[in-house]
Amino acid sequence: MSLGFIALCFFISSNLLAQKRDFYELRTYHIETAEQEAMLDEYLEKAFIPAAHRNGIAKVGVFKPIASEPDAGKKVYLFIPFKSMDGILGLAAKLAKDQTYQTSGSSYINAAFDKPPYKRMETSIMQSMTGQPKFAESKLTNSKKDRVYELRSYEAATERLYKQKVKMFNSGEMDIFEKLNYSPIFYGETIAGANMPNLMYMTTHENMDVRNAHWKAFSADPDWAGMKDLAEYKNTVSRNDTRLLYPAEYSDL
């Protein structure tokens, strides 16, 4: 067996490994009081995120609605990237055996029934799109409190139309975001969630003025003009649910 053939096999296997798609869990905690928010912050910062790091999850995102949003102070978003579905399914068992986590997270884990840390919790499970198979850290360097992270969910009327919108992202739409410096964190195809069929993605902007300028530039972009009216992409979005968020100070992303 030649060295050239071995090198080729190594290159192919490395490339396939590099293209392996992430899986994402996005939790939404619905809260009613500042006390609940404080309980969640303490738990996520002191217990959950350190435990996630110990269990091989390098980066975890925590986001909250910006002050101008109608649900400001009412939600906390937790974004967890995994390398496989096994990672999602196995995390709870790992946390149950993590004594440091159990101790540092005790006030959340053992909260009384009449003093819960949230009103309700919902979860979406996604697989990354092929056009960006791995999540990415935002390129922003300004103060986290000033940033605007835009979480969008594009719902479709049917599965077929949903797949066409995913194709649109993979075939050029996310390239336009990259060109215009949207600094995206993830693009995900929803596997399980409340509003299927839908895709979700998150872009990041230094502030609201930059965010608005980005969308103005997107609307005028020639590449977008060349694809938005193509017949294959007609009527692919029946509802656009947009959430404007900022990262918690202790968020990794």
Side-chain angles (χ1 to χ4, degrees):
M1 186 179 296
S2 71
L3 289 176
F5 180 75
I6 294 173
L8 177 62
C9 291
F10 178 78
F11 173 80
I12 293 173
S13 65
S14 297
N15 189 56
L16 288 173
L17 183 62
Q19 294 303 310
K20 189 175 180 182
R21 294 161 65 188
D22 281 340
F23 288 82
Y24 306 130
E25 179 179 359
L26 181 66
R27 297 184 197 172
T28 306
Y29 293 95
H30 296 259
I31 57 177
E32 297 179 300
T33 65
E35 181 182 8
Q36 288 182 323
E37 184 175 1
M39 290 175 68
L40 271 175
D41 281 333
E42 180 181 15
Y43 163 70
L44 294 173
E45 180 180 10
K46 306 296 185 183
F48 182 84
I49 292 179
H53 293 168
R54 288 194 297 273
N55 285 283
I57 303 170
K59 302 291 180 179
V60 177
V62 180
F63 318 109
K64 301 179 181 183
I66 64 174
S68 60
E69 288 289 279
D71 56 357
K74 300 298 182 183
K75 291 179 183 175
V76 176
Y77 294 83
L78 176 66
F79 173 74
I80 317 167
F82 295 87
K83 296 177 182 178
S84 68
M85 275 296 295
D86 287 343
I88 295 177
L89 298 173
L91 182 59
K94 291 179 179 179
L95 294 180
K97 297 177 182 178
D98 187 329
Q99 291 305 311
T100 300
Y101 165 80
Q102 293 293 324
T103 299
S104 57
S106 179
S107 60
Y108 171 95
I109 297 167
N110 300 306
F113 79 95
D114 56 350
K115 288 188 177 180
Y118 51 83
K119 178 183 179 182
R120 197 54 41 195
M121 177 180 66
E122 60 184 271
T123 296
S124 291
I125 303 296
M126 295 169 274
Q127 185 174 21
S128 66
M129 294 188 195
T130 57
Q132 185 176 308
K134 303 293 180 183
F135 80 96
E137 294 185 62
S138 173
K139 299 173 184 176
L140 303 184
T141 58
N142 64 319
S143 175
K144 288 181 177 179
K145 65 180 177 61
D146 296 327
R147 300 179 192 176
V148 175
Y149 282 18
E150 187 159 358
L151 175 66
R152 287 196 174 202
S153 170
Y154 288 169
E155 300 172 21
T158 68
E159 290 96 330
R160 180 186 67 82
L161 291 168
Y162 157 74
K163 290 176 183 177
Q164 286 302 108
K165 187 59 181 176
V166 172
K167 178 184 176 183
M168 192 178 190
F169 267 90
N170 288 325
S171 299
E173 189 167 353
M174 65 176 65
D175 293 331
I176 301 172
F177 288 150
E178 189 67 27
K179 176 177 64 175
L180 298 177
N181 297 316
Y182 273 57
S183 193
I185 289 180
F186 76 90
Y187 299 92
E189 301 179 37
T190 305
I191 298 171
N195 299 303
M196 296 177 69
N198 73 308
L199 61 85
M200 301 181 75
Y201 69 98
M202 177 177 280
T203 56
T204 66
H205 316 270
E206 284 89 345
N207 52 52
M208 186 61 75
D209 288 340
V210 172
R211 179 259 181 189
N212 293 340
H214 277 158
W215 280 112
K216 185 176 181 180
F218 182 88
S219 297
D221 188 86
D223 292 330
W224 175 242
M227 70 186 310
K228 67 183 179 68
D229 293 326
L230 293 176
E232 63 179 311
Y233 300 137
K234 288 286 189 180
N235 303 311
T236 53
V237 177
S238 58
R239 181 171 180 263
N240 169 7
D241 183 17
T242 297
R243 307 289 172 169
L244 300 179
L245 316 171
Y246 70 95
E249 195 59 41
Y250 57 86
S251 174
D252 293 327
L253 297 171

